[in-house]
Amino acid sequence: MILLQNPRTPCRRLGVAAVAAGLLSALLTAGPAVATPDPGDAPAKPKAVSKSAQAETRQAIAGGDIPGQNQIVHSANIEHLANIPKDALPGTNSDLAFQGKYAFAGNYDGFRVFDISDPKAPKTVTQVLCPGSQNDVSVSGDLLFLSTDSSRSDSSCNSTTQPATEKSSWEGMKVFDISDKRNPKYVAAVETACGSHTHTLVPERRAVYIYVSSYAPSAAYPDCRPPHDGISVIKVPRSAPEKAAVIDFPVFFPGEGPDGGGNPGAPANPGVSKTTGCHDITVLPSKDLAAGACMGDGILFSIADPERPKVIDRVQDNANFAFWHSATFNQKANKVVFTDELGGGGAPTCNAKTGPNRGADGIYDIVGKGDKRKLVFRNYFKISRHQADTENCVAHNGSLIPVKGKDLMVQAWYQGGVSVWDFTDSSRPKEIAYFERGPLSTDNLVTGGSWSAYYYNGYIYSNDMAKGFDVLKLDDRRTDPARRIQLRELNVQTQPDYFD
């Protein structure tokens, strides 16, 4: 069954009238669509590599230094239970969210819902066609939230690509009702400045607050002009999600001039991204804390008042960090791990040439109390398994593995695969398990690998950009206690208090 009931609408924010008129997602429950809107941002085209790089890749495979093309390898304490390839949504797979027995998997062309009640045999419940990069996804109660960070002709799921230089173009947040998992309904959309690259939920009983991260403004974009030195805050009433609206735009990097007060990037700091917004934010509601990864800056801030987040501390690493990408707290909230997306996720940075510190995680201790807390750098962590120059590889999305007294994390590394590592000692992190596939190609740099790898109710779930949805089982005495923790819902960027 295919429902393509979204009318083309010129409106820039959907209201009650549009919803009442029957605004629905394009729902695919069996087979590919017979007619579809154009896709979101297409996967990066393969990049040519030198003949010597091709030869080195083949030599490394022949010598057993890296897995063969598409070959699966893993440590002895990991079992690969299942893989569900991409189906009706051919775009790049992206982030994951969880609720009960369901996993929600983002894709540049929409999102997919899996029944994971049997982790060895996940089943597709539905696929929703709604193009718009990156389609970062999260859930809260009966609501699902989807980020759109590509310029579209309108806010509907039938939209087409349109230049950001046109005033009528739309980017922002979409809201779906998922009370019926087999038939999600599109109920609201909110336009935000510079779109929504990622978003983070701060859920409360009567409303959900959304922190919208976006960046890269331009004077040529009517709705995304510099300085863009903060985030959009959206409030979504649970009882009336169609009334969702932006309520504030807090500035995190105040400063004079057209670019605000964030990291200036080059030429002052060569190789470092200029801060023109935030890429990702992780909140720890039980501690009223949040950590922001904001291009050239890492920030720690208070969310005691979720409508008015307040910066506590700010750090830079102009020696080894190129692009502050994401953040993860430990459970005690006395550490935070920031990731560096060197090369934008499309480059081979897990090799000897790049080294162990660039494109790595940065581990920071949080010292002090209250508004005087500071982020203090301790060390870097990067997978030591070198990848070929035909493999994009860099630190990406991961989550805690909840074990009392330990700081354990599972993390995606694109074609570097999935890594489980221990940062209980901030100064001496170490890998304890891994899963990866060999290169997608030995002739070209082809983008792929694990975008998100998260631990949920006893299993690791990975959304591979090219290969689909993977389920892994970790069998290790150091992580086994985590199996006792059962959550009803998990959005990794909204970190739970696992032991409350």
Side-chain angles (χ1 to χ4, degrees):
M1 179 180 66
I2 300 169
L3 300 177
L4 294 173
Q5 296 180 258
N6 292 47
R8 285 284 299 275
T9 58
C11 62
R12 301 180 59 73
R13 180 179 179 277
L14 296 178
V16 178
V19 175
L23 183 63
L24 299 176
S25 60
L27 180 64
L28 295 83
T29 55
V34 293
T36 65
D38 70 342
D41 291 352
K45 293 181 180 179
K47 298 178 183 177
V49 298
S50 66
K51 294 293 186 181
S52 61
Q54 295 175 5
E56 288 172 2
T57 300
R58 296 189 184 99
Q59 183 178 358
I61 292 173
D65 297 323
I66 64 173
Q69 189 172 354
N70 292 311
Q71 177 188 1
I72 291 176
V73 298
H74 52 81
S75 55
N77 54 358
I78 277 187
E79 180 183 358
H80 187 208
L81 297 182
N83 171 261
I84 308 297
K86 289 193 286 189
D87 184 24
L89 304 177
T92 299
N93 283 332
S94 57
D95 213 356
L96 294 167
F98 304 90
Q99 186 180 84
K101 67 177 185 178
Y102 298 102
F104 303 83
N107 178 286
Y108 277 41
D109 288 331
F111 65 92
R112 189 173 183 178
V113 183
F114 293 100
D115 181 336
I116 55 172
S117 53
D118 181 359
K120 293 182 179 180
K123 297 178 181 178
T124 298
V125 175
T126 192
Q127 300 179 68
V128 175
L129 176 67
C130 196
S133 144
Q134 337 187 99
N135 277 339
D136 189 34
V137 64
S138 60
V139 294
S140 183
D142 287 338
L143 299 177
L144 179 144
F145 306 92
L146 204 64
S147 286
T148 298
D149 193 37
S150 58
S151 184
R152 310 296 295 179
S153 57
D154 56 61
S155 57
S156 78
C157 287
N158 283 341
S159 68
T160 56
T161 55
Q162 182 168 291
T165 52
E166 294 189 23
K167 178 64 178 173
S168 62
S169 296
W170 186 92
E171 299 178 63
M173 289 298 309
K174 295 169 181 170
V175 184
F176 290 78
D177 182 327
I178 54 168
S179 52
D180 179 355
K181 303 296 188 293
R182 293 186 176 276
N183 186 30
K185 292 182 170 58
Y186 185 7
V187 296
V190 181
E191 185 176 30
T192 57
C194 301
S196 175
H197 194 71
T198 66
H199 69 270
T200 305
L201 303 187
V202 185
E204 297 200 338
R205 188 168 63 88
R206 295 186 177 181
V208 180
Y209 293 96
I210 308 175
Y211 293 165
V212 177
S213 296
S214 56
Y215 57 93
S218 168
Y221 301 159
D223 299 314
C224 179
R225 287 178 171 150
H228 184 71
D229 45 13
I231 62 170
S232 298
V233 179
I234 296 174
K235 185 175 182 179
V236 185
R238 291 188 184 275
S239 61
E242 69 278 4
K243 295 181 180 180
V246 174
I247 59 171
D248 201 3
F249 187 89
V251 173
F252 291 159
F253 307 100
E256 297 180 0
D259 297 319
N263 196 318
N269 298 315
V272 178
S273 295
K274 179 170 69 173
T275 298
T276 59
C278 290
H279 180 277
D280 210 344
I281 290 170
T282 293
V283 298
L284 191 56
S286 63
K287 306 292 186 182
D288 287 336
L289 278 179
C294 301
M295 303 181 72
D297 296 86
I299 57 175
L300 180 71
F301 54 99
S302 167
I303 58 167
D305 180 349
E307 295 189 8
R308 296 172 181 82
K310 181 178 67 173
V311 174
I312 296 173
D313 194 27
R314 167 183 162 197
V315 290
Q316 297 178 355
D317 180 350
N318 295 318
N320 286 310
F321 262 47
F323 188 98
W324 296 67
H325 174 273
S326 54
T328 302
F329 288 100
N330 69 337
Q331 184 58 46
K332 291 183 178 179
N334 59 7
K335 299 175 189 176
V336 61
V337 173
F338 288 101
T339 66
D340 174 26
E341 195 179 43
L342 176 68
T349 67
C350 299
N351 50 29
K353 179 182 178 181
T354 305
N357 295 338
R358 300 180 64 237
D361 296 319
I363 306 165
Y364 286 76
D365 284 353
I366 302 173
V367 300
K369 295 181 179 180
D371 289 351
K372 296 186 181 299
R373 282 172 285 191
K374 298 291 183 183
L375 293 165
V376 179
F377 175 76
R378 294 304 186 203
N379 206 349
Y380 298 104
F381 170 77
K382 188 176 182 179
I383 57 173
S384 59
R385 293 167 287 107
H386 286 167
Q387 309 297 307
D389 283 348
T390 60
E391 296 179 278
N392 61 307
C393 176
V394 77
H396 218 245
N397 293 355
S399 75
L400 289 185
I401 299 177
V403 175
K404 275 191 175 181
K406 297 289 185 180
D407 295 324
L408 304 172
M409 185 173 175
V410 59
Q411 186 175 5
W413 287 80
Y414 284 158
Q415 286 194 69
V418 175
S419 174
V420 179
W421 60 289
D422 185 333
F423 63 103
T424 306
D425 182 342
S426 305
S427 299
R428 295 181 180 180
K430 58 183 179 182
E431 184 174 70
I432 62 174
Y434 70 89
F435 167 92
E436 68 168 298
R437 291 181 170 90
L440 290 168
S441 172
T442 59
D443 298 323
N444 297 288
L445 174 58
V446 178
T447 300
S450 178
W451 177 293
S452 299
Y454 299 146
Y455 187 91
Y456 177 69
N457 291 355
Y459 297 89
I460 293 171
Y461 298 90
S462 167
N463 212 17
D464 187 293
M465 290 188 280
K467 292 294 185 179
F469 184 70
D470 288 305
V471 186
L472 310 175
K473 183 179 180 181
L474 184 60
D475 186 9
D476 190 291
R477 59 178 177 78
R478 292 164 291 190
T479 60
D480 286 348
R483 295 177 186 171
R484 295 194 290 265
I485 305 297
Q486 296 291 305
L487 302 177
R488 289 178 293 179
E489 193 170 272
L490 177 65
N491 301 295
V492 168
Q493 287 74 33
T494 306
Q495 283 191 219
D497 185 340
Y498 289 99
F499 307 113
D500 183 4

